[in-house]
Amino acid sequence: AKTVVSRLQDLARKNAGSDFQRLVLDDVARKVVEIARPAKPKPVEIVMDLNAPNQCIMGNETQISQLLLNLLINAFHATETGGTVTISTQQKAGSLLLKVTDDGYGISEENMKRIFEPFFTTKKGGEGTGLGLAIAEEVVEEHHGTIRVDSKEGLGTVFLVELPIFFSEY
């Protein structure tokens, strides 16, 4: 309950994340995958396709980690009976793309309209707060980025986060 209240406060706070620093997105992704491994269902495979090793964003590491963790946990739930979750990064004209793809059950058209609403969840009672994607969207906005989702029922889901590049670290 304490964690939920804390994240709600972060979601409501307009200046949450004022402690930004240079972050190599590939490094953050590696750390988060290791943190998330214990939550991964056994039949799920994680594939990492990180292609921006020297590209930095200006960001809050805790918030970016929470964003990626929320996307990963959702992907794990969508593939809990087996499948693949892929985390990829790439550079695109002044931006870094972070993509989380799963080949799980997908999101219905009806639910796609509401997935970023706070407290909206399709999980059974007590299994989810409905805050993960609302928090993810807020974090992306605070980092001057965009988040998009593409999903087909029965085929899987792709979350695409685009964040501005701060600079290249060589």
Side-chain angles (χ1 to χ4, degrees):
K2 183 179 176 182
T3 302
V4 170
V5 170
S6 174
R7 290 309 295 159
L8 274 173
Q9 290 171 332
D10 287 347
L11 184 62
R13 202 175 301 135
K14 290 294 179 200
N15 62 353
S18 58
D19 55 339
F20 281 24
Q21 61 187 14
R22 291 186 316 252
L23 300 173
V24 176
L25 195 55
D26 285 10
D27 294 345
V28 175
R30 280 187 200 87
K31 289 179 191 176
V32 172
V33 166
E34 286 311 307
I35 291 167
R37 270 194 207 282
K40 180 187 78 65
K42 286 191 189 301
V44 174
E45 178 186 359
I46 298 174
V47 174
M48 294 178 62
D49 183 24
L50 305 178
N51 298 297
N54 300 313
Q55 303 303 311
C56 293
I57 62 166
M58 192 62 139
N60 178 294
E61 186 170 6
T62 301
Q63 289 181 346
I64 295 295
S65 296
Q66 184 70 51
L67 156 71
L68 182 52
L69 186 61
N70 288 343
L71 296 178
L72 280 174
I73 296 299
N74 283 352
F76 290 165
H77 286 190
T79 57
E80 63 193 353
T81 59
T84 303
V85 174
T86 303
I87 300 95
S88 62
T89 59
Q90 70 181 60
Q91 182 179 348
K92 174 195 153 196
S95 296
L96 284 181
L97 302 179
L98 170 67
K99 189 164 36 170
V100 177
T101 306
D102 71 66
D103 57 4
Y105 51 77
I107 304 168
S108 73
E109 237 180 270
E110 180 180 315
N111 289 339
M112 284 283 286
K113 297 172 188 170
R114 301 188 60 203
I115 61 171
F116 293 110
E117 287 179 20
F119 303 108
F120 175 74
T121 183
T122 59
K123 295 181 178 98
K124 297 174 189 154
E127 288 185 20
T129 62
L131 293 174
L133 291 177
I135 290 168
E137 183 180 49
E138 181 72 18
V139 167
V140 170
E141 288 172 2
E142 288 176 12
H143 287 79
H144 307 287
T146 60
I147 185 169
R148 295 187 305 268
V149 60
D150 184 35
S151 187
K152 301 280 187 258
E153 278 190 276
L155 297 177
T157 302
V158 177
F159 279 91
L160 180 65
V161 175
E162 187 169 347
L163 300 167
I165 290 177
F166 181 62
F167 72 88
S168 296
E169 187 173 84
Y170 291 103

